[in-house]
């Protein structure tokens, strides 16, 4: 009992610390390669610690207590050291050294536990199972739960306490157990120490490759947020624990138990290729169930490998001594498998290459386990499977986001950071960039704010010469910056090579700013172009460039995503400030539609507290923050001398004059609140908030926009002095427009049965009328009115179609749906619904043309959810078949 409790607690402490240190390690090592480096370093140090438990001081009776006490101190100290290095030593070589030591020391100490606990017992499989279950508890309870409640340092202290408890239980277990050595049972298929070492090392490398692949697929299937990453980790640990507990008793007495187990692992390795139908059928199931379905069949067998090898190795010494010598070989397996897959195989050969490499490792391990007689019967078929794996479609292609029938896939590239896809979304009528299935950017109407991220900070700076654009996306912001001829140099800070390679698909947005292509774009001083791409972690890139930029503008991924959060913390803004020249400006995007109000408020306060002067602008529904050391000078001269393309772009955005820029200013970003939880590297709590679903999400946008206007601020006195009255007039109009947007968003939430407090729902008609009176032909107002009209027509038409199946209701739906189709001619779904109304109203010929247009815009439309709804609303099978036949005949 005590032995099992110690194994469980050691697993909880170890995995929690590993997760905390690896996730924070990117701050010092740079995100991108930090996870692979951190995991390999941790596992290697853990394995070396296990081996060192054989030494005299590891064999001391009080060794478990010493180790537990050391962990109590080392756990929080190591996490603090990584955070300190990521903030104070960012970009320096010393940060790498501190991070490496902080990762290695607790891992080394953790490695002692299992060999010590294995002394005097033959139940190694049970110890491994309990240790892995403890890892599950540490990942879920400490590395996720405690971090979410109290931050990283509290979680590290909790892990240290668990380590001390493990040491105390291990001390009691060792004292209570017999000191007699447990010799290995004789088996006909015993392994020599060399063969056993090969099996262990290669199996760990194989499992590492497979786990990396499953993590990448998990992000595609379940999303890239913290909850998704954690469920994949927990499901993997649970599968390994089940394998360690259940499989050794089932196969241990068989003559060829180990080769049989490795064959099971080889078959499980093929599961990612065939898992898609099972995952798709469980789309409504809890995410942990789906993660188990993804990871369980692939990893179950690996949990039993070391217990079986331990039982069959022909070596002298106690059970714990033999285990310590075996675990040493996990070091080279981890160092071989994880970095090789991450840095070489996936970027060059994709996920299929990682799977094939794992099978090669597996075939070699089988050869070591079974000898020459296995080559023809087992090894060669597995190598053939590895070759076949390289020719199959990538399992990423079958994931839910990329298998969307509304998408026409133009490009799919798997690099070491993301699976980057470019798709034509026929339903919405736009081209979209997907990073791990997430809509990062696109050509649609809602992405217009990305242009403002380029133009606004440059207009506020008197002489921007060098600009950094952090996060490339489609290159829309870069293209906007490039239109400003006074900018001499633009550095693009992008972590993903595949994103840069996708830029030609969006040349209409980036204006060909990246036309030089790779690798030339990465040349810092070749004199060929004013645009230079700096591949790598953008935060680290800024840390290595002090006093360099006049403007830093950025649109990273969502603030509450696991790695992007470190581009929204107070420590990051300190790094960004150091990268600015005197008078420099930082520009940051914040998405009010995608954050719950408490998170939105924390992000704004982190920014507002980082700069002496800050400002909030709203473009459409998106928030743009500006930070600087002093209030920018809004000079009319900044609008003179522009060429026609730049003038046109600014007019379209409503930034055509200093007055228009001033009018869109909402006020300063809020200051940090001492009573509220701040957002920092040590406490990235917004990442760990429970994920919400359903119509309630629709309330985020209006509630967050309300924060931007919660207090009415006077326009800065130095802005638009010669046009003060006009600027105040326009500012009042913009405030009314923002109010109208909130009212419309609240109405949409109420329509979809989300709760909307009446006290915060302003009068839409009055606010819109005020905005029209004050703003006239403002382009933002025109776009909003167009959007309101489209939504109203679409909703009116669909409501009429759903109200009854007779011709009267069809006629009532016909006019608004045709109007909606005219307002959004690029959207296939709207033409589809219009075709339903026309067909039911008896206008078969016009309905046929509308349906053909819909199918031409979206070739996979018939397999979408919109098509299913259209059929329920009365789309006839005959009309659908005729339209498909005529399109096919062309």
């Amino acid at each position: 009992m005590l032995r099992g409790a110690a194994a469980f607690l050691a697993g909880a402490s170890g995995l929690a610390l590993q997760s905390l240190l690896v996730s924070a390690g990117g701050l010092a090592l740079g995100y991108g390669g930090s996870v692979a480096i951190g995991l390999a370093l941790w596992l290697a140090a853990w394995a070396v610690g296990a081996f060192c438990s054989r030494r005299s001081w590891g064999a001391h009776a009080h060794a478990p207590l010493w180790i537990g006490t050391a962990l109590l101190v080392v756990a929080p100290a190591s996490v603090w050291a990584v955070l300190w290095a990521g903030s104070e030593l960012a970009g320096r070589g010393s940060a790498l050294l501190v991070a490496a030591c902080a990762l290695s020391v607790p891992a080394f100490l953790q490695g002692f536990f299992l060999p010590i606990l294995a002394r005097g017992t033959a139940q190694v499989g049970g110890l491994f199972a309990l240790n892995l279950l403890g890892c599950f508890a540490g990942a879920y309870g400490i590395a996720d739960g405690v971090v979410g409640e109290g931050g990283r340092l509290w979680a590290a202290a909790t892990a240290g306490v668990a380590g001390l408890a493990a040491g105390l239980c291990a001390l009691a277990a060792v004292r209570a157990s017999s000191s007699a050595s447990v010799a290995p049972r004789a088996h006909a298929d015993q392994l020599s120490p060399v063969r056993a070492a090969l099996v262990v090392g290669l199996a760990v490398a194989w499992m590492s490759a497979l786990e990396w692949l499953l993590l990448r697929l998990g992000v595609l299937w379940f999303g890239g947020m913290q909850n998704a990453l954690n469920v994949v980790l927990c499901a993997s640990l649970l599968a390994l624990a089940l394998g360690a507990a259940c499989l050794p008793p089932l196969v241990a007495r068989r003559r060829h138990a180990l080769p049989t187990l490795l064959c099971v692992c080889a078959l499980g390795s093929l599961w990612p290729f065939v898992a898609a139908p099972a995952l798709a059928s469980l789309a409504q199931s809890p995410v942990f169930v789906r993660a188990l379905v993804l990871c369980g069949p692939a990893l179950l067998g690996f949990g039993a490998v070391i217990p079986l090898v331990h039982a069959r190795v022909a070596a002298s010494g106690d059970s714990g001594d033999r285990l310590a010598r075996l675990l040493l070989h996990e070091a080279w397996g981890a160092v071989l498998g994880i970095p090789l897959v991450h840095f070489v195989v996936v970027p060059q050969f994709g996920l299929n290459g990682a799977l094939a490499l794992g099978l090669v490792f597996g075939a070699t391990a089988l050869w070591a386990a079974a000898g020459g007689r296995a080559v023809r019967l087992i090894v060669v078929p597995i190598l053939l499977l590895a070759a076949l794996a390289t020719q199959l479609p990538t399992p990423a292609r079958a994931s839910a986001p990329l298998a969307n029938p509304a998408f026409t896939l133009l490009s799919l590239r798997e690099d070491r950071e993301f699976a980057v896809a470019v798709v034509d979304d026929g339903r919405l009528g736009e081209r979209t960039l997907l990073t791990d299935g997430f809509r990062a950017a696109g050509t649609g109407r809602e992405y217009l704010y990305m242009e403002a991220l380029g133009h606004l900070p440059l207009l506020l700076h008197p002489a921007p010469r060098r600009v950094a654009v952090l996060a490339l996306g489609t290159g829309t912001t870069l293209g906007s910056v490039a239109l400003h001829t006074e900018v001499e140099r633009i550095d693009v800070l992008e972590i993903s090579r595949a994103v840069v390679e996708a830029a030609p698909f969006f040349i209409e947005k980036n204006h060909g700013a990246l036309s030089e292509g790779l690798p030339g774009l990465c040349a810092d001083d070749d004199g060929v172009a004013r645009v230079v791409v700096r591949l790598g972690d953008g935060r680290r890139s800024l840390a290595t460039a002090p006093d360099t930029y006049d403007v830093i503008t950025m649109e990273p991924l969502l603030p509450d995503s696991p790695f992007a959060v470190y581009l929204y913390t107070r420590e990051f803004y300190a790094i960004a400030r150091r990268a600015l020249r005197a008078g420099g400006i930082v520009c940051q995007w914040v998405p009010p539609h995608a954050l719950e109000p408490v998170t939105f408020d924390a992000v704004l306060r982190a920014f507002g507290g980082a700069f002496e002067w800050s400002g909030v602008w709203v473009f459409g529904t998106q928030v743009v923050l500006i930070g600087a050391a002093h209030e920018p000078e809004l000079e009319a001269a900044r609008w003179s001398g522009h060429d026609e393309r730049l003038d046109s772009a600014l007019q379209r955005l409503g930034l055509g004059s200093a007055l228009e820029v001033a009018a869109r200013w909402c006020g300063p970003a809020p200051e940090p609140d001492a009573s509220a939880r701040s957002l920092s590297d040590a406490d990235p709590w917004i990442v760990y908030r429970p994920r919400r679903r359903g119509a309630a999400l629709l309330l985020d946008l209006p509630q967050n926009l309300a924060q931007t206007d919660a207090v009415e601020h006077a326009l800065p006195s130095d802005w638009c002095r010669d046009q003060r009255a006009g600027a105040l007039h326009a500012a009042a109009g913009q405030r009314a427009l923002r109010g109208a947007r909130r009212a419309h968003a609240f109405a949409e939430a109420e329509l979809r049965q989300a709760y909307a407090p009446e006290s915060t729902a302003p009068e839409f008609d009055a606010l819109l009328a005020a905005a029209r009176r004050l703003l006239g032909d403002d382009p933002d107002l025109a776009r909003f009115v167009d959007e309101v009209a489209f939504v109203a027509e679409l909703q009116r038409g669909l409501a009429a179609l759903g109200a009854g199946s007779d011709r009267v209701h069809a006629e009532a739906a016909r006019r608004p749906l045709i109007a909606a189709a005219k307002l959004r001619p690029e959207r296939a779904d709207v033409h589809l619904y219009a075709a339903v109304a026309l067909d039911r109203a008896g206008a078969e010929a016009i309905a046929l043309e509308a349906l053909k247009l819909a199918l031409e815009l979206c070739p996979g439309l018939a397999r979408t959810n919109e098509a299913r709804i259209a059929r329920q609303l009365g789309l006839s099978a005959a009309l659908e078949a005729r339209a498909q036949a005529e399109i096919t005949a062309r």
Side-chain angles (χ1 to χ4, degrees):
M1 178 70 74
L2 287 171
R3 203 183 296 266
F8 181 90
L9 289 166
S13 173
L15 199 285
L17 274 174
Q18 174 191 306
S19 181
L20 289 168
L21 288 166
V22 169
S23 62
L27 298 171
L29 301 171
Y31 285 102
S34 64
V35 175
I37 294 171
L39 284 174
L41 190 60
W42 175 277
L43 291 173
W46 182 88
V48 171
F51 181 74
C52 289
S53 68
R54 301 169 61 240
R55 304 298 179 188
S56 58
W57 44 276
H60 194 279
H62 292 94
L65 179 60
W66 297 342
I67 295 164
T69 305
L71 282 170
L72 182 65
V73 177
V74 166
S78 60
V79 172
W80 178 87
V82 168
L83 294 171
W84 176 78
S87 175
E88 300 301 321
L89 303 178
R92 304 180 199 170
S94 53
L96 306 181
L97 180 62
V98 171
C101 292
L103 276 158
S104 301
V105 172
F108 177 81
L109 294 171
Q110 285 285 344
F112 279 72
F113 279 116
L114 279 180
I116 289 174
L117 293 170
R119 292 170 187 163
T121 179
Q123 303 301 318
V124 172
L127 283 178
F128 262 81
L130 287 168
N131 186 256
L132 287 163
L133 283 175
C135 290
F136 175 94
Y140 182 77
I142 301 176
D144 191 82
V146 178
V147 175
E149 290 297 323
R152 280 210 172 96
L153 294 177
W154 273 109
T158 305
V161 171
L164 176 60
L168 292 171
C169 289
L171 178 64
V174 169
R175 285 181 171 178
S177 65
S178 169
S179 59
S181 175
V182 178
R185 179 181 298 175
H187 291 277
D189 55 346
Q190 276 191 325
L191 295 172
S192 69
V194 173
R195 288 170 58 197
L198 283 173
V199 172
V200 169
L202 290 166
V204 168
W206 180 10
M207 182 181 68
S208 300
L210 189 57
E211 284 187 307
W212 200 261
L213 181 149
L214 291 170
L215 180 63
R216 294 288 294 264
L217 289 178
V219 170
L220 281 165
W221 277 100
F222 316 132
M225 293 306 199
Q226 178 65 28
N227 67 318
L229 297 178
N230 203 50
V231 296
V232 173
L233 173 61
C234 289
S236 301
L237 292 167
L238 186 57
L240 292 170
L242 289 171
C246 301
L247 293 182
L250 293 176
V251 301
R253 296 184 183 277
R254 298 178 181 274
R255 182 177 180 187
H256 301 297
L258 187 57
T260 301
L261 178 66
L262 293 175
C263 287
V264 169
C265 293
L267 290 174
S269 297
L270 299 175
W271 174 247
F273 282 116
V274 296
L279 291 169
S281 68
L282 295 170
Q284 302 305 315
S285 300
V287 66
F288 185 72
V289 172
R290 289 181 283 150
L292 270 179
V293 170
L294 174 64
C295 301
L299 294 176
L300 187 69
F302 289 94
V305 170
I306 289 181
L308 277 185
V309 174
H310 175 266
R312 279 164 167 72
V313 64
S316 60
D318 180 74
S319 173
D321 184 73
R322 298 197 308 276
L323 181 61
R325 281 181 280 175
L326 281 179
L327 291 179
L328 175 64
H329 301 286
E330 285 202 5
W332 64 263
V335 172
L336 173 65
I338 299 174
L340 182 62
V341 167
H342 179 73
F343 290 105
V344 180
V345 177
V346 170
Q348 294 296 323
F349 307 104
L351 299 185
N352 292 45
L355 188 54
L357 178 65
L359 288 170
V360 171
F361 288 148
T364 312
L366 261 167
W367 169 80
R373 63 182 181 276
V375 173
R376 215 179 322 174
L377 295 176
I378 305 173
V379 175
V380 171
I382 290 179
L383 290 174
L384 290 175
L385 283 176
L388 176 63
T390 63
Q391 304 303 312
L392 294 172
T394 172
R397 182 67 181 86
S399 64
L402 298 182
N404 187 335
F407 290 168
T408 299
L409 185 65
L410 304 179
S411 170
L412 175 59
R413 172 88 161 79
E414 295 162 334
D415 67 7
R416 68 187 202 183
E417 277 70 45
F418 306 112
V420 177
V422 179
V423 300
D424 277 339
D425 184 345
R427 184 181 73 85
L428 296 178
E430 64 183 46
R431 181 164 290 180
T432 303
L433 178 75
L434 303 176
T435 55
D436 283 340
F438 173 74
R439 286 180 179 266
T443 60
R445 300 166 189 257
E446 66 269 30
Y447 297 108
L448 196 62
Y449 72 92
M450 293 183 178
E451 297 182 30
L453 287 169
H455 293 302
L456 179 63
L458 269 64
L459 293 171
L460 293 173
H461 194 286
R465 297 289 180 263
R466 187 163 182 179
V467 177
V469 177
L470 194 158
L472 174 63
T474 55
T476 302
T477 300
L478 168 64
S480 299
V481 172
L483 291 178
H484 292 257
T485 55
E486 69 271 28
V487 176
E488 299 168 356
R489 166 76 175 266
I490 308 170
D491 287 0
V492 177
L493 315 182
E494 173 57 51
I495 197 169
S496 171
R497 187 183 187 92
V499 168
V500 179
E501 292 174 343
F505 288 99
F506 301 96
I507 197 165
E508 65 175 284
K509 291 294 183 181
N510 56 52
H511 307 303
L514 296 163
S515 58
E516 183 186 356
L518 294 173
L521 281 168
C522 294
D524 198 35
D525 55 358
D526 62 358
V528 174
R530 64 200 280 240
V531 177
V532 173
V533 173
R534 300 181 65 186
L535 286 172
D537 177 14
R539 174 170 166 151
R540 183 173 172 80
S541 296
L542 287 178
T544 60
D547 301 314
T548 301
Y549 299 108
D550 298 305
V551 169
I552 300 171
T553 184
M554 49 196 167
E555 189 211 4
L557 295 177
L558 297 176
D560 56 350
S561 58
F563 303 116
V565 66
Y566 303 110
L567 299 175
Y568 294 88
T569 62
R570 63 186 183 216
E571 291 86 355
F572 166 70
Y573 293 128
I575 290 172
R577 287 184 59 175
R578 289 197 293 268
L580 291 176
R581 293 172 176 166
I585 287 175
V586 170
C587 178
Q588 174 76 286
W589 163 75
V590 182
H593 68 289
L595 302 175
E596 59 180 316
V598 65
T599 299
F600 181 78
D601 181 66
V603 171
L604 262 61
R605 290 185 185 279
F607 189 93
F611 299 94
E612 288 83 353
W613 185 92
S614 64
V616 179
W617 274 260
V618 174
F619 290 88
T621 61
Q622 300 302 295
V623 169
V624 176
L625 304 177
I626 295 291
H630 53 77
E631 180 182 291
E633 297 178 8
L634 202 55
E635 299 175 350
R638 291 292 292 117
W639 278 261
S640 63
H642 292 164
D643 62 23
E644 185 176 343
R645 281 205 309 168
L646 179 55
D647 272 336
S648 174
L650 294 177
Q651 293 291 342
R652 186 163 50 89
L653 282 171
L655 296 176
S657 67
L659 185 149
E660 289 179 289
V661 170
R664 282 170 168 74
W665 180 76
C666 303
E671 294 287 331
D673 183 352
S675 64
R677 195 170 176 182
S678 62
L679 182 58
S680 65
D681 290 349
D683 190 13
W685 57 272
I686 63 174
V687 170
Y688 299 90
R689 298 279 298 176
R691 295 291 116 186
R692 301 163 305 135
R693 302 177 67 181
L697 296 175
L698 296 173
L699 285 172
D700 291 344
L701 176 62
Q703 290 178 345
N704 288 334
L705 288 180
Q707 287 192 45
T708 65
D709 279 330
V711 179
E712 187 168 359
H713 298 276
L715 201 65
S717 57
D718 289 336
W719 289 5
C720 303
R721 286 184 174 181
D722 297 337
Q723 299 175 294
R724 193 69 180 175
L728 293 173
H729 185 87
Q734 290 294 335
R735 189 177 179 87
L737 176 56
R738 293 193 295 272
R741 286 189 188 277
R742 293 196 302 274
H744 187 256
F746 273 124
E748 287 295 300
E750 289 177 318
L751 184 66
R752 302 193 192 185
Q753 300 180 339
Y755 171 69
E758 291 184 6
S759 60
T760 60
E763 294 294 330
F764 171 73
D765 291 337
L767 286 165
L768 183 59
R772 282 174 159 162
R773 183 180 70 256
L774 294 167
L775 294 178
D777 58 354
D778 179 84
D780 210 16
L781 172 63
R783 283 188 289 269
F784 176 62
V785 170
D786 176 79
E787 179 66 19
V788 169
F790 165 71
V791 171
E793 298 287 17
L794 181 62
Q795 290 176 346
R796 192 178 302 119
L798 290 176
L801 281 180
S805 58
D806 54 34
R807 189 161 182 167
V808 173
H809 288 94
E811 287 289 352
R814 175 177 175 172
R815 187 184 298 275
L817 287 175
I818 290 176
K822 289 180 179 179
L823 288 168
R824 294 293 182 272
E826 73 276 10
R827 287 188 54 163
D829 58 340
V830 183
H831 293 289
L832 172 65
Y833 297 137
V836 175
L838 289 163
D839 186 35
R840 282 176 45 182
E844 183 178 346
I846 306 175
L848 178 63
E849 293 304 314
L851 185 55
K852 284 163 58 179
L853 176 57
L855 291 171
E856 287 169 353
L857 289 170
C858 183
L861 185 63
R863 295 178 282 115
T864 63
N865 189 53
E866 286 72 23
R868 180 186 61 80
I869 294 172
R871 295 181 188 111
Q872 292 174 350
L873 292 173
L875 177 65
S876 70
L879 182 70
E880 194 173 356
R882 185 177 170 189
Q884 290 280 15
E886 291 193 14
I887 290 175
T888 304
R890 289 183 181 177

